[in-house]
Amino acid sequence: MLNVLSLCSALHDASGGAFDPTVQPLWLALANDASQAEIERARQAIGWNEVSVGTDAIRLPHPGRSAITLNGVAQGAITDRIAALLRSFDLRDVLVDMGEVAALGRRSTGELWRVGLAGSDGTVVKRIRVQDRAIATSAPEGTRLRGDQGHILSPQGHAPTYQAVSISAPQAALADGLSTALCLTPAGAIDKIISRFRNAQIEMLISMTTD
């Protein structure tokens, strides 16, 4: 848990606050079709920089109002744990798919693993070959909370920049978190954010517009 929360802090800092696990109250308000006043109250509870994380306790800034979602990194973190477990049993050539993908070694034919990258409608738009890397794809419109509101939320209330982002990295949790954060990141800031994380790479970007 502490490792995952440490990654959350790194992603929050690198993305200028676009990645913020404390958006959970806002997520719940939108999912439950709350009133505008309730939505604004939920926004006021957002603020990862106010969360205190220690080895003995994790403290949220607004008791009864604050909440954390790890949806932006949890699938990746679980994928990493499963991959590590398989390695501990001396399995070296395995493709793990827990919502995010970890490609260990090679296929039985000796070829690299092939992974399809899908857009927000689930259609595969690109295929890549990978070995000993993880891949994650995030799509704000993959799940809708109400109306046209996608499930990846900006703490500042900004609309997503991309309808789908795929990232590869040495760890699935990192790929997962980066793909989430970059959905909300202006195009001009992406390279700077990616450069903060060693060996992370953009595999696919699909803009919200078709221009």
Side-chain angles (χ1 to χ4, degrees), residues 4-5 18 20 49 69 74 82-83 88 93 106 136 157 160 168 183 188 190 197:
V4 170
L5 294 179
D20 193 322
N49 58 324
T69 172
I82 296 298
S88 74
D93 299 304
R106 293 172 175 256
S168 69
C183 286
I190 283 184
F197 300 94

Side-chain angles (χ1 to χ4, degrees), residues 1 27 35 81 115 140 148 167 194 209:
M1 176 64 78
W27 195 99
S35 67
R81 292 293 297 272
V115 177
D148 291 331
I167 300 292
I194 284 288
T209 63

Side-chain angles (χ1 to χ4, degrees), residues 20-21 25 33 37 40 64 68 78 84 103 111 135-136 139 143 145 162 169 177 182 188:
D20 193 322
D33 202 23
E40 290 307 314
I68 290 175
I78 293 168
E111 298 176 303
I135 304 93
T143 300
L145 301 180
Y162 296 98
L182 294 185

Side-chain angles (χ1 to χ4, degrees), residues 8-183:
C8 288
S9 292
L11 291 164
H12 179 268
D13 292 344
S15 66
F19 185 93
D20 193 322
T22 61
V23 296
Q24 180 66 3
L26 178 59
W27 195 99
L28 287 172
L30 292 169
N32 293 327
D33 202 23
S35 67
Q36 192 60 40
E38 291 170 320
I39 290 172
E40 290 307 314
R41 178 176 168 81
R43 286 191 188 280
Q44 293 171 10
I46 297 173
W48 180 253
N49 58 324
E50 297 182 76
V51 175
S52 172
V53 178
T55 56
D56 59 336
I58 299 167
R59 295 183 174 87
L60 304 183
H62 306 286
R65 293 171 53 206
S66 298
I68 290 175
T69 172
L70 296 179
N71 191 47
V73 295
Q75 286 186 178
I78 293 168
T79 302
D80 288 332
R81 292 293 297 272
I82 296 298
L85 178 64
L86 294 174
R87 287 192 189 98
S88 74
F89 285 99
D90 210 28
L91 296 172
R92 294 290 179 264
D93 299 304
V94 181
L95 189 71
V96 181
D97 186 354
M98 303 291 294
E100 315 304 349
V101 173
L104 311 182
R106 293 172 175 256
R107 300 173 61 185
S108 59
T109 60
E111 298 176 303
L112 299 183
W113 293 105
R114 296 182 66 202
V115 177
L117 307 180
S120 58
D121 62 356
T123 301
V124 173
V125 298
K126 181 180 179 181
R127 287 182 171 82
I128 60 173
R129 295 181 182 273
V130 289
Q131 177 181 4
D132 296 324
R133 284 180 75 76
I135 304 93
T137 299
S138 294
E141 296 178 340
T143 300
R144 295 182 185 274
L145 301 180
R146 70 175 185 183
D148 291 331
Q149 178 65 62
H151 74 292
I152 297 178
L153 304 175
S154 164
Q156 298 85 10
H158 301 154
T161 309
Y162 296 98
Q163 61 176 281
V165 176
S166 293
I167 300 292
S168 69
Q171 297 83 33
L174 175 58
D176 192 4
L178 278 173
S179 66
T180 301
L182 294 185
C183 286

